[in-house]
Every structure is written in C-alpha cells, then in structure tokens.
C-alpha cells in the first residue's frame, strides 16, 4: 500500500513537472497569410513578412496592423515569395530594413536581397543589393535567413533551388552561406574574395536549404540549420571556405528510399547535430531572457513538418537534451523571436497564420 502511494506521488510530481515545462500560449495576432519572418522594432512593434508579398507592422499587444508600402515585387510561387527580414545593427540611427524574397529574373526567379529605410508607413530609398544567380524556373529551396554578426557583417543563406549539384559549385550563389558588408559589398577577408576559386560573396557552401540562422550569445559565432531530404536536417556552424557536404554526404535519404551518400566524408564538415527523421526546421534563436530562466542559453528551433518548438540544451556545441513543445497545437512554426520582456514569439506558417506569445505558466 505504501509503495503504491509513493509511486502515485512520484507519478503526480512527474506529470506536474511536465505540465509546468509547457509554456502558456497566447494568440497575440491571427489572420496572417503564411507569415515567414519577423523583426522587433525598438518601440515594441514587429515587422512581419507574409510570403504572398505583404510587409506588415504589428502591435503584438493590441493586434493593430498596417501594411508597409514600397516592399519589393515577389514571385509567390511554390516556396517563394517575401521571405526573411532583419534590422541593421544601428537601425535606430539609420532605419535600414533588410529583406529577402523570391524575385523574377531573366530565366525564372532567384533569391534576392535588398534594403530600404523605414519611414512613416513605407520603405524609402529601396535598393536591391544581391541576386543569387544563376536564376532558374524552380519554385523550391530559396533558403533565405539573415543575421548580422558582431562586426556588422551580414550573413544570408541560400538554398540549392532543388538542383542539388549546385551546392558543390563554389561559383554558384545557391546552396551557400553568403557574407557581405551592410551595403552589399564584399568583405576583403571572404574566402573567395578574389573570385578565382569561388564567388566572392560565398562564405561556406555545400548546404541544402538553410532556413535558420542566429548568433551564439557567448561566442558570437553564426549558427544555422538546414533542411535535409528524408532525414538529415542539420545544425551547422559555417566556417570560412568550408564545404558542408550536400549532396555528397548526408544523413538523409532519397524521398523514394535509397541512400544519397555516406554520413561523413574526409575534407567536409560534419553537422554538430542532425534530425533523422526530419522535423523540417525553420527559425532559430538562442534564448537569453529572464522569463524562462532555466532555458537561458538553450537553442529554440521551429519545426514545420513535425509541428513543434524544439528546445535544445547544449554543452558547448553538443546537444545534451532535446524537448518538444506545442506538439498538440499542430501548427507549422516558421520563425522564432524573443520579446523585450523575455516572452517567446512564434510565427505559424498557414493561410490562417498566427503570432503566438509564450510565457511561463506561473505568470
């Protein structure tokens, strides 16, 4: 009898702890159309991209929204459209907003990068900084995450556009991580800056479709993740001039079953973590807030296919534990951001998409 009572108490405590580990979820804004990227403005509003082509300014407290004019024309086909957004590190002084999008070009479409100054309800002085050529007719794998490092370099990810061998061509701007100055010019210390062995904008290559990018809060290193095929989603640390292997090596398989390549090869960089089977990762954030103090330093990753928020505890670059949050909601989590109060903000990629706010249950 005593043993049953003790067992019952232990089970109750475990269930309570599991429940407390799940944050409170609030729908802050709804009726969004396939939202893709977001950036937090200094005054607390959010800029949110919608894949069909709208750029919105949202108040996450009131739900008030307005369309920002003069955003670029997009090719909203397949996985393409208006994609990521980032603010210049000195945004409060210069008002520069950076966007990526699938844009038309002579032989189809390509991932574009541009910037404009946020004025009163519109972007001004908008300019295209880079087109990830060559252009193709594919509607897949645009990549397209943006992150500034601590030195002010802008990193941009590009996908292989569904044409995998392009990732192994260092002269092709697709299937790569690009590194630029804030005006789109090429840093002199880029690995292929002279153009002889690769395109000057390329920092690393051999990537499939990276849709997450963030800075490590301690080291300042750029971390990315990328979609594998059937398995083999990866977390990688881009390194100057390095080849990350796709499609010559991968933990994933062809969608129809056969192996694509070995898990590792000499001279290529292994991922620090992989998901097999795939979760389809999108959005990425190191949590540093006070609202969830036990999560500080943990990596948060959205999942599209597995429809959850992954929380990864790390020891250096080694994943120690991984939890799955919000599985019961069945929502494709596209982007992850941290609010000024430490709340976690998520975008769900649906025709009836939402901005979700996560706070602790004891709040």
């Amino acid at each position: 009898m005593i043993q049953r009572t003790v067992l019952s108490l232990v089970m109750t405590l475990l269930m309570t702890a599991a429940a407390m580990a799940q944050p409170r979820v609030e729908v802050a804004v709804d009726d969004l159309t396939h939202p893709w990227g977001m950036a937090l403005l200094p005054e607390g509003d959010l800029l949110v991209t919608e894949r069909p082509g709208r750029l919105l300014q949202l108040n996450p407290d009131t739900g008030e929204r307005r369309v920002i004019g003069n955003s670029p024309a997009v090719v909203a086909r397949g996985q393409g459209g208006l994609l990521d957004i980032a603010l210049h590190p000195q945004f409060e002084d210069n008002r520069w907003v950076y966007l990526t999008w699938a844009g038309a070009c002579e032989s189809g479409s390509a991932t574009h990068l541009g910037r404009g100054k946020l004025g009163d309800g519109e972007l001004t002085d908008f300019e295209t900084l880079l087109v990830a050529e060559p252009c193709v007719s594919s509607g897949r794998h645009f990549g397209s995450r943006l992150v500034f490092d601590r030195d002010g370099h802008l990193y941009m990810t590009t996908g292989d556009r569904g044409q995998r061998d392009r990732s192994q061509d260092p002269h092709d701007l697709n299937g790569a991580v690009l590194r630029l100055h804030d005006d789109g010019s090429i840093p002199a210390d880029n690995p292929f800056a002279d153009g002889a062995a690769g395109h000057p904008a390329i920092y690393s290559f051999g990537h499939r479709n990276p849709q997450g990018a963030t800075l490590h809060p301690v080291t300042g290193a750029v971390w990315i993740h990328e979609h594998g095929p059937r398995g083999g989603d990866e977390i990688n640390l881009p390194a100057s001039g390095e080849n990350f292997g796709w499609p010559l090596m991968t933990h994933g398989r062809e969608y129809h079953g056969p192996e694509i390549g070995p898990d590792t090869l000499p001279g290529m960089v292994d991922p620090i973590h992989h998901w097999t089977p795939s979760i389809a990762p999108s959005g990425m954030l190191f949590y540093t807030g006070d609202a969830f103090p036990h999560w500080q330093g943990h990596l948060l990753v959205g999942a599209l296919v597995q429809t959850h928020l992954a929380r990864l505890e790390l020891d250096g670059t080694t994943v120690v534990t991984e939890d799955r949050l919000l599985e019961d909601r069945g929502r494709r989590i596209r982007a992850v951001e941290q609010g000024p109060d430490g709340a976690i903000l998520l975008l769900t990629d649906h025709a009836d998409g939402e901005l979700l706010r996560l706070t602790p249950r004891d709040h």
Side-chain angles (χ1 to χ4, degrees):
M1 184 66 175
I2 294 176
Q3 288 180 333
R4 289 183 182 176
T5 302
V6 172
L7 180 59
S8 177
L9 178 60
V10 169
M11 293 300 295
T12 300
L13 290 172
L14 289 174
M15 292 172 65
T16 301
M20 291 298 291
Q22 295 288 330
R24 176 184 288 114
V25 183
E26 170 197 0
V27 178
V29 180
D30 60 7
D31 196 28
L32 300 173
T33 305
H34 293 289
W36 211 96
M38 59 179 156
L40 185 66
L41 293 170
E43 61 270 24
D45 280 3
L46 284 168
L47 293 178
V48 172
T49 61
E50 292 181 313
R51 188 157 46 82
R54 287 198 308 177
L55 175 61
L56 301 176
Q57 184 169 342
L58 302 179
N59 184 316
D61 296 320
T62 66
E64 182 181 357
R65 73 187 73 188
R66 65 172 172 170
V67 177
I68 300 299
N70 200 32
S71 60
V74 307
V75 177
R77 183 174 70 87
Q79 298 169 1
L82 187 58
L83 302 172
D84 206 17
I85 184 168
L87 304 183
H88 191 282
Q90 284 80 51
F91 172 81
E92 292 187 75
D93 297 325
N94 60 35
R95 308 295 289 179
W96 283 120
V97 174
Y98 292 75
L99 295 169
T100 57
W101 68 97
C105 42
E106 184 176 351
S107 53
S109 64
T111 306
H112 287 54
L113 168 70
R115 70 175 182 175
K117 292 186 177 182
L118 182 63
D120 184 15
E122 67 174 354
L123 296 178
T124 63
D125 302 323
F126 196 86
E127 56 184 334
T128 297
L129 301 179
L130 181 140
V131 178
E133 296 177 328
C135 304
V136 296
S137 60
S138 167
R140 301 170 58 200
H141 296 187
F142 291 89
S144 222
R145 286 296 177 191
L146 296 172
V147 64
F148 280 94
D149 71 10
R150 291 177 179 173
D151 294 324
H153 296 114
L154 177 60
Y155 291 76
M156 170 185 173
T157 70
T158 61
D160 67 4
R161 301 302 309 282
Q163 300 174 358
R164 59 182 60 173
D165 291 339
R166 301 179 68 177
S167 296
Q168 285 299 312
D169 181 356
H171 292 277
D172 190 314
L173 283 172
N174 295 275
V177 174
L178 313 181
R179 180 176 180 258
L180 306 166
H181 288 305
D182 62 350
D183 62 357
S185 61
I186 307 297
D189 59 348
N190 269 12
F192 309 120
D194 64 4
H199 193 287
I202 288 178
Y203 188 69
S204 62
F205 63 104
H207 301 286
R208 185 173 183 266
N209 190 22
Q211 291 189 357
T214 192
L215 287 190
H216 191 282
V218 177
T219 67
V222 174
W223 289 44
I224 69 167
H225 64 56
E226 55 191 278
H227 290 253
R230 185 180 172 187
D233 298 341
E234 297 180 354
I235 297 177
N236 286 306
L237 275 63
S240 180
E242 294 291 348
N243 183 347
F244 284 76
W246 173 256
L248 300 181
M249 73 174 198
T250 175
H251 289 268
R253 306 180 71 88
E254 300 285 6
Y255 289 107
H256 58 285
E259 185 179 82
I260 296 172
D263 294 345
T264 187
L265 282 173
M268 297 183 181
V269 182
D270 294 331
I272 65 169
H273 183 69
H274 71 91
W275 289 277
T276 302
S278 293
I279 66 168
S282 186
M284 191 179 195
L285 170 75
F286 278 103
Y287 184 75
T288 59
D290 294 326
F292 299 92
H294 299 299
W295 293 2
Q296 290 179 355
H298 292 193
L299 189 63
L300 304 179
V301 174
L304 298 170
V305 170
Q306 297 287 349
T307 62
H308 66 273
L309 178 67
R311 179 175 63 85
L312 285 68
E313 182 180 0
L314 298 155
D315 180 6
T317 59
T318 301
V319 175
V320 178
T321 61
E322 180 174 348
D323 292 334
R324 295 187 171 192
L325 311 172
L326 279 62
E327 285 184 291
D328 59 329
R329 297 186 74 88
R331 305 296 278 176
R332 289 165 50 87
I333 297 176
R334 172 63 73 179
V336 187
E337 185 58 85
Q338 181 178 305
D341 59 353
I344 297 165
L345 304 174
L346 308 174
L347 291 176
T348 66
D349 183 5
H350 297 267
D352 58 345
E354 302 161 320
L355 172 68
L356 303 179
R357 181 192 284 114
L358 276 56
T359 54
R361 285 190 175 272
D362 57 356
H363 276 199

